[in-house]
Amino acid sequence: MASLLNPVSSVRLSNIINNPLRNSSPLTPISLSLTRRRLTIRATETDANEVKPQAPDKAPAKSGSSFNQILGIKGARQETDIWKIRVQLTKPVTWPPLVWGVVCGAAASGNFHWSVEDVAKSVVCMMMSGPCLTGYTQTLNDWYDREIDAINEPYRPIPSGAISENEVITQIWVLLLGGLGLAGLLDVWAGHDFPIIFYLAVGGSLLSYIYSAPPLKLKQNGWIGNFALGASYIGLPWWAGQALFGTLTPDIIVLTLLYSIAGLGIAIVNDFKSVEGDTAMGLQSLPVAFGSETAKWICVGAIDITQLSVAGYLLGAGKPYYALALLGLIIPQVFFQFKYFLKDPVKYDVKYQASAQPFLILGLLVTALATSHPS
């Protein structure tokens, strides 16, 4: 829900034709004070409308991939179709972890049944967590990152001027209100006396805002920002799925927050390619603060040690088969870390994530199933 949800990152688990940004905005942008002025980054230093760099030679052009463009990742083709650009800003490549989190929460509840109604509830919850609230998070993050992207990836939609200020702000509001509306609908559908899913959606949306926006801008701190992103991608959608079909208990909250440390590690993977821009803008991502070599080991340590700790928890809870299954899923992740990520986290980031992360998310499901069955 990273938005609820995304969570970011990256879990941020990224990216065209110049049109001048328009000066006026019919809608008020997202801000705690709900004023246009607060939405402008460093308004006294840089006017958003001045950020219109030309795409460099290395930028993806007509030879880029249309598939990458629609997913919102690097290597994207330059596009003029406004709806394709809108989809690109929501970064559909980041939706699956949120969708999977809902699946894990439903499984952990022990009350999901393969009925038409339960499947329909799940689909609506996935739409809320993925396209709506994660889309809101990604669009909002790109808006506040437009100065950094002007350095790192100036060919992306906002810094290149491929989409106007008004269009970006409208998209942020539509996705946010759509996600909150679906959350309220799910509470009514589930018969909740207390609208827990709605409040989770509000909390996740607020977390997304303070992650990207000044003055807090959690992403400026590599530890706090990446943990917030991890919690958004792992904890919040799980909680929503479990609350939809069952009861969200304190032990599940603690367990998923622990798992969110692995999400912190996944988020660090995406920081290596942005070192130049982060340094220029004063963001203390872990690769900037510790150097790439140290940050690589912090990243894999957060991912592996967290999962080993969860396996130990399951073993101590009298669920040895689930613990062994989780251990079996950690081994290939370590293999791909040495094969790809530790060799070159920038060159092989996509290969590493495509190879290793499926095993991590399967481990999430193993853990969810373990919590749904008594010892």
Side-chain angles (χ1 to χ4, degrees):
M1 270 179 167
S3 174
L4 247 282
L5 308 195
N6 188 198
V8 128
S9 165
S10 285
V11 129
R12 236 154 84 171
L13 328 141
S14 341
N15 312 17
I16 301 200
I17 301 303
N18 294 341
N19 293 324
L21 292 176
R22 293 191 285 271
N23 293 320
S24 61
S25 172
L27 292 177
T28 304
I30 300 298
S31 170
L32 293 177
S33 63
L34 295 180
T35 68
R36 183 183 186 278
R37 190 171 187 81
R38 287 296 299 279
L39 188 56
T40 303
I41 299 178
R42 303 176 184 270
T44 59
E45 302 174 15
T46 305
D47 192 313
N49 295 337
E50 294 174 359
V51 183
K52 302 176 189 174
Q54 296 297 317
D57 292 339
K58 66 180 181 178
K62 293 183 178 179
S63 60
S65 167
S66 296
F67 183 69
N68 288 15
Q69 186 275 327
I70 220 66
L71 289 180
I73 58 179
K74 64 183 180 180
R77 179 187 180 93
Q78 288 190 331
E79 186 56 67
T80 56
D81 186 305
I82 186 60
W83 291 105
K84 289 183 179 180
I85 293 171
R86 286 190 181 282
V87 173
Q88 181 181 357
L89 279 177
T90 68
K91 294 186 181 66
V93 73
T94 63
W95 301 350
L98 285 296
V99 170
W100 191 255
V102 173
V103 171
C104 291
S109 73
N111 292 321
F112 176 82
H113 304 286
W114 287 101
S115 65
V116 172
E117 182 178 9
D118 281 5
V119 170
K121 286 181 182 177
S122 298
V123 170
V124 173
C125 194
M126 291 172 186
M127 290 291 294
M128 172 195 70
S129 301
C132 289
L133 293 179
T134 304
Y136 150 78
T137 296
Q138 295 295 347
T139 306
L140 185 72
N141 186 63
D142 269 21
W143 172 259
Y144 281 108
D145 272 1
R146 62 195 186 277
E147 291 181 343
I148 298 176
D149 287 342
I151 299 170
N152 292 328
E153 299 169 285
Y155 45 83
R156 289 175 67 169
I158 295 175
S160 71
I163 185 170
S164 74
E165 175 182 340
N166 291 352
E167 290 165 333
V168 174
I169 293 168
T170 299
Q171 175 159 321
I172 290 170
W173 275 109
V174 168
L175 292 173
L176 173 61
L177 296 177
L180 295 179
L182 289 178
L185 171 65
L186 287 169
D187 279 317
V188 172
W189 200 347
H192 292 156
D193 293 327
F194 179 81
I196 184 170
I197 299 176
F198 177 79
Y199 280 110
L200 286 173
V202 170
S205 301
L206 179 60
L207 182 61
S208 296
Y209 178 82
I210 64 174
Y211 172 82
S212 298
L216 295 179
K217 199 161 189 173
L218 300 181
K219 67 186 298 179
Q220 292 182 117
N221 182 290
W223 294 108
I224 298 173
N226 285 332
F227 182 77
L229 197 66
S232 296
Y233 273 88
I234 293 176
L236 284 168
W238 181 317
W239 300 348
Q242 183 151 349
L244 181 60
F245 294 102
T247 302
L248 184 58
T249 55
D251 58 321
I252 289 296
I253 293 175
V254 171
L255 182 62
T256 49
L257 286 176
L258 175 62
Y259 234 124
S260 296
I261 298 174
L264 178 150
I266 295 170
I268 297 172
V269 173
N270 296 284
D271 288 337
F272 289 91
K273 66 177 182 289
S274 303
V275 169
E276 181 184 354
D278 290 349
T279 302
M281 299 303 298
L283 299 183
Q284 287 297 301
S285 67
L286 296 187
V288 171
F290 294 96
S292 292
E293 194 61 32
T294 301
K296 287 191 300 188
W297 290 99
I298 294 174
C299 175
V300 298
I303 294 170
D304 298 342
I305 293 172
T306 296
Q307 293 178 93
L308 289 170
S309 300
V310 174
Y313 166 81
L314 295 177
L315 185 63
K319 299 175 181 180
Y321 297 113
Y322 289 104
L324 286 173
L326 185 55
L327 286 173
L329 291 168
I330 296 172
I331 294 171
Q333 294 178 62
V334 174
F335 171 78
F336 288 119
Q337 286 164 0
F338 279 94
K339 182 176 181 180
Y340 293 125
F341 183 73
L342 293 172
K343 284 184 178 179
D344 191 331
V346 176
K347 181 178 180 181
Y348 296 118
D349 67 329
V350 175
K351 282 188 177 180
Y352 165 66
Q353 294 189 72
S355 303
Q357 286 192 15
F359 295 99
L360 185 143
I361 64 174
L362 284 174
L364 280 171
L365 182 59
V366 168
T367 304
L369 292 171
T371 60
S372 70
H373 292 86
S375 302

